[in-house]
Amino acid sequence: MFPYKTSIQLDRQSNQALYLQLSNQIIQLIKNQTLAPNTRLPGSRTLAEHLNVHRKTIVACYDELLLQGWVESMPKKGTFIHRNLPVLQRQKLESTVVSNLKDNTGFSFYKNPVLPEKSSKKDKGILYLNDGVSDGRLTSIDEIARTYRRVCSKKNVFDHLSYGSTYGNDTLRDVLVDYLNATRGLHITKDNVLITRGSQMGIWLSSQLLLQKGDIVVVGNTNYESADATFLNQHARLERVLVDEHGLVTDEIENLCKRQQIKAVYVTSHHHHPTTVTLCAERRIHLLNLAKQHNFAIIEDDYDYDFNYNHAPILPLASHDTNGNVIYIGSVCKTVAPVFRIGYLIASKEFVDEASKLRGYVDRQGDALLELTFADYIKSGDLDRHIRKVMKIYKQRRDLFCRLLKDELGDFFEFEIPKGGMAVWTKLSPEYSWDHFSEVAKNYNLEIGDWKQYDNTSLGHNYIRIGFAAYNNQEIYELISRLKKIMDEIKKIEKIS
């Protein structure tokens, strides 16, 4: 007789019922061929005695196995492993190989060579450079939590727990119309608003509707890596134009238009990613005129509109668009915290309708309760109060970081103090490389990350973005200290070699 007593282990402290634990273990014995088809199982009393459980537990287990089709019951004969169960074919492995089948697939599938992997792993004790993110510790989480609870306590909350609109929650769309018209100078109605889960969804939806294989999208010679990857994933052709201290060089775009049909231009007009420069007024008007003349779309990613330290925010291209050429994309993720996936895509009703239809097949709808929460958060003025609070803090952090970087490491790094945003476009002295720097940095528990993303066109400019907003004063001092130790070690290595 099979040794059930030693082969089956029941955990009486587990939340799972004993009969389910037992049935699952018997199923596993069947699957690994320990119990073969047509094997007779012990009687319920006998197995109950072996396992020291009540007979009703065994009866419930056998009923479960019968219901799932693993066993069959024969009157006056007993319970048997189902005779018609096929033998589960298993891969033959060498005795020295230990395999975790969850790591391997038994079928072929397509891997995407275009999309870079986004790592979120963070080890304690490691200081990570970022390319400009907000400090989650400053998030007004208490206000948001109170608002969320208030939304959930309303009598009509159950109306929002089923399937909703693929356009996003109507209340938030109405609030965004008023808010964006007032703060961005837009002239939109609810029909022009699609709620997204952050700006990246807006970029993806736009690329899906605008681009097919071989279509041309114009980007800067340095550009936001995720946007590049999204366009390349559509098999589009990237045409890169120069970015100088005034933003995208629109004269180069005009020359491209004379030679070939352009489908779209991607621009981060307020603070170009990654260089942080602002597109000047002359080029803004030039770009809008080119879009009208040559019938291409402008994808305007306004990822950090709210953070300006030297002047009032500059109105987006979308505020001057009278021809329906601009697709305006933004979010509250950067402003409040990345975890709150609330964004928006603003465009013509015709485009929004099609984007909404597409969105319904990749993300049926957003989080209605969270969207209602942020509708209240915006309408009540809490968002504006949060922005004013963190603006003062981020400006102070920018000033401290830039002062220390210049005073302590001015011989190694060049940069311009950014007028806005949450990062500094930083150039390492040409005699050194970020490749070498990133290796030495690991000795000081500093992780540079994928520095190559900032030089995706082989320009050899030796720049990367270094975010400052997510570090408090103590952390900024520590970051500068580690940067200095790294450069001192690199200098010693260079002298020896």
Side-chain angles (χ1 to χ4, degrees):
M1 182 178 176
F2 180 77
Y4 291 95
K5 187 173 184 178
T6 56
S7 299
I8 291 177
Q9 304 295 324
L10 299 178
D11 182 3
R12 298 179 187 274
Q13 303 302 316
S14 172
N15 291 329
Q16 189 177 52
L18 290 177
Y19 83 94
L20 287 177
Q21 293 184 46
L22 178 56
S23 60
N24 288 338
Q25 291 186 54
I26 291 177
I27 290 170
Q28 189 59 41
L29 292 170
I30 296 171
K31 287 163 62 177
N32 64 25
Q33 301 171 31
T34 302
L35 294 178
N38 216 31
T39 299
R40 186 180 185 279
L41 293 174
S44 57
R45 287 187 178 85
T46 302
L47 188 56
E49 290 176 4
H50 283 313
L51 300 180
N52 193 27
V53 297
H54 197 282
R55 176 174 171 264
K56 289 183 179 179
T57 300
I58 307 301
V59 172
C61 167
Y62 284 1
D63 286 345
E64 180 68 24
L65 294 172
L66 185 65
L67 184 66
Q68 293 189 34
W70 292 101
V71 302
E72 54 186 340
S73 179
M74 298 183 184
K76 299 182 180 180
K77 290 186 178 181
T79 302
F80 296 80
I81 306 300
H82 204 293
R83 74 187 78 181
N84 294 327
L85 280 179
V87 175
L88 181 64
Q89 297 182 5
R90 304 173 69 86
Q91 183 179 0
K92 293 183 178 180
L93 302 173
E94 296 179 12
S95 58
T96 56
V97 177
V98 177
S99 174
N100 180 357
L101 294 181
K102 291 183 179 179
D103 293 338
N104 304 295
T105 57
F107 52 86
S108 64
F109 63 99
Y110 300 106
K111 295 186 178 182
N112 196 318
V114 172
L115 301 180
E117 182 179 355
K118 292 183 180 294
S119 174
S120 58
K121 183 181 178 182
K122 293 286 191 297
D123 294 324
K124 289 185 177 180
I126 304 294
L127 186 59
Y128 292 85
L129 288 189
N130 63 72
D131 67 353
V133 297
S134 55
D135 188 346
R137 294 168 295 188
L138 300 177
T139 302
S140 49
I141 196 69
D142 289 339
E143 287 86 349
I144 294 172
R146 280 196 295 269
T147 303
Y148 193 93
R149 285 194 294 270
R150 188 164 62 249
V151 165
C152 292
S153 67
K154 291 183 178 180
K155 291 182 179 180
N156 69 342
V157 67
F158 300 105
D159 297 338
H160 303 285
L161 300 186
S162 186
Y163 289 114
S165 171
T166 55
Y167 291 88
N169 179 266
D170 276 351
T171 301
L172 179 57
R173 292 170 73 203
D174 284 331
V175 168
L176 281 174
V177 167
D178 293 337
Y179 185 75
L180 295 177
N181 284 344
T183 61
R184 268 70 162 173
L186 303 186
H187 307 282
I188 59 173
T189 68
K190 186 167 68 175
D191 289 338
N192 304 120
V193 181
L194 173 70
I195 307 300
T196 63
R197 290 189 186 269
S199 58
Q200 181 57 41
M201 178 183 276
I203 298 170
W204 185 85
L205 289 170
S206 299
S207 71
Q208 290 287 312
L209 298 180
L210 288 172
L211 304 172
Q212 294 184 354
K213 186 175 182 179
D215 285 340
I216 295 172
V217 57
V218 177
V219 300
N221 59 354
T222 56
N223 194 49
Y224 180 42
E225 181 195 33
S226 291
D228 284 354
T230 303
F231 302 144
L232 290 172
N233 189 55
Q234 280 296 99
H235 305 286
R237 250 177 64 204
L238 299 187
E239 287 284 354
R240 298 190 182 275
V241 298
L242 183 66
V243 177
D244 62 18
E245 65 272 20
H246 301 297
L248 285 176
V249 178
T250 52
D251 286 341
E252 290 193 10
I253 299 176
E254 183 174 16
N255 290 333
L256 281 171
C257 290
K258 293 175 182 178
R259 300 195 304 269
Q260 50 202 338
Q261 178 63 49
I262 288 174
K263 201 66 187 291
V265 172
Y266 172 81
V267 59
T268 46
S269 55
H270 208 177
H271 302 124
H272 175 257
H273 197 293
T275 68
T276 77
V277 299
T278 300
L279 188 65
C280 69
E282 179 184 350
R283 292 183 184 177
R284 287 166 180 258
I285 302 303
H286 189 198
L287 182 58
L288 286 167
N289 287 339
L290 288 174
K292 179 180 183 298
Q293 182 180 352
H294 296 281
N295 300 311
F296 61 76
I298 299 173
I299 305 172
E300 183 176 21
D301 181 3
D302 208 0
Y303 66 97
D304 62 356
Y305 174 87
D306 296 307
F307 300 118
N308 297 274
Y309 310 121
N310 296 15
H311 54 73
I314 296 174
L315 293 180
L317 290 166
S319 68
H320 307 293
D321 178 32
T322 58
N323 301 298
N325 290 105
V326 178
I327 302 164
Y328 182 66
I329 294 168
S331 77
V332 299
C333 304
K334 285 274 188 183
T335 306
V336 182
V339 71
F340 299 118
R341 307 308 301 167
I342 302 289
Y344 45 84
L345 181 153
I346 310 297
S348 67
K349 180 181 184 302
E350 181 182 20
F351 190 85
V352 166
D353 287 344
E354 196 64 23
S356 170
K357 187 164 61 175
L358 175 62
R359 183 257 175 89
Y361 285 92
V362 294
D363 183 35
R364 173 59 179 79
Q365 66 189 67
D367 182 338
L369 297 183
L370 186 63
E371 290 174 12
L372 282 167
T373 299
F374 271 88
D376 189 292
Y377 187 69
I378 294 168
K379 192 173 182 178
S380 67
D382 283 341
L383 176 61
D384 285 334
R385 283 187 284 275
H386 170 76
I387 291 170
R388 289 194 295 271
K389 179 185 77 172
V390 298
M391 274 271 290
K392 294 177 183 178
I393 297 172
Y394 291 162
K395 181 180 185 300
Q396 186 272 331
R397 291 178 180 181
R398 178 203 66 170
D399 294 343
L400 176 62
F401 177 78
C402 290
R403 177 174 62 80
L404 292 176
L405 190 62
K406 182 178 180 181
D407 292 348
E408 302 293 334
L409 291 154
D411 293 338
F412 307 107
F413 297 106
E414 297 178 26
F415 64 93
E416 295 288 335
I417 299 176
K419 297 176 182 177
M422 294 181 281
V424 178
W425 186 232
T426 311
K427 181 180 181 180
L428 181 61
S429 186
E431 59 262 35
Y432 307 108
S433 74
W434 285 110
D435 191 9
H436 188 196
F437 186 97
S438 63
E439 287 301 314
V440 176
K442 293 175 183 177
N443 299 332
Y444 296 90
N445 288 333
L446 180 65
E447 183 62 49
I448 303 300
D450 182 18
W451 60 269
K452 294 180 182 178
Q453 67 173 295
Y454 304 104
D455 197 10
N456 52 16
T457 56
S458 302
L459 295 174
H461 51 57
N462 227 28
Y463 278 92
I464 68 168
R465 277 170 67 99
I466 302 180
F468 57 81
Y471 307 117
N472 60 31
N473 288 2
Q474 181 181 349
E475 291 162 344
I476 289 174
Y477 277 106
E478 178 61 27
L479 174 58
I480 295 296
S481 174
R482 294 192 198 187
L483 290 174
K484 191 171 182 180
K485 291 175 182 177
I486 293 164
M487 290 311 306
D488 287 343
E489 181 172 332
I490 289 175
K491 279 178 62 179
K492 292 177 182 177
I493 295 172
E494 293 288 333
K495 286 182 180 180
I496 294 173
S497 59

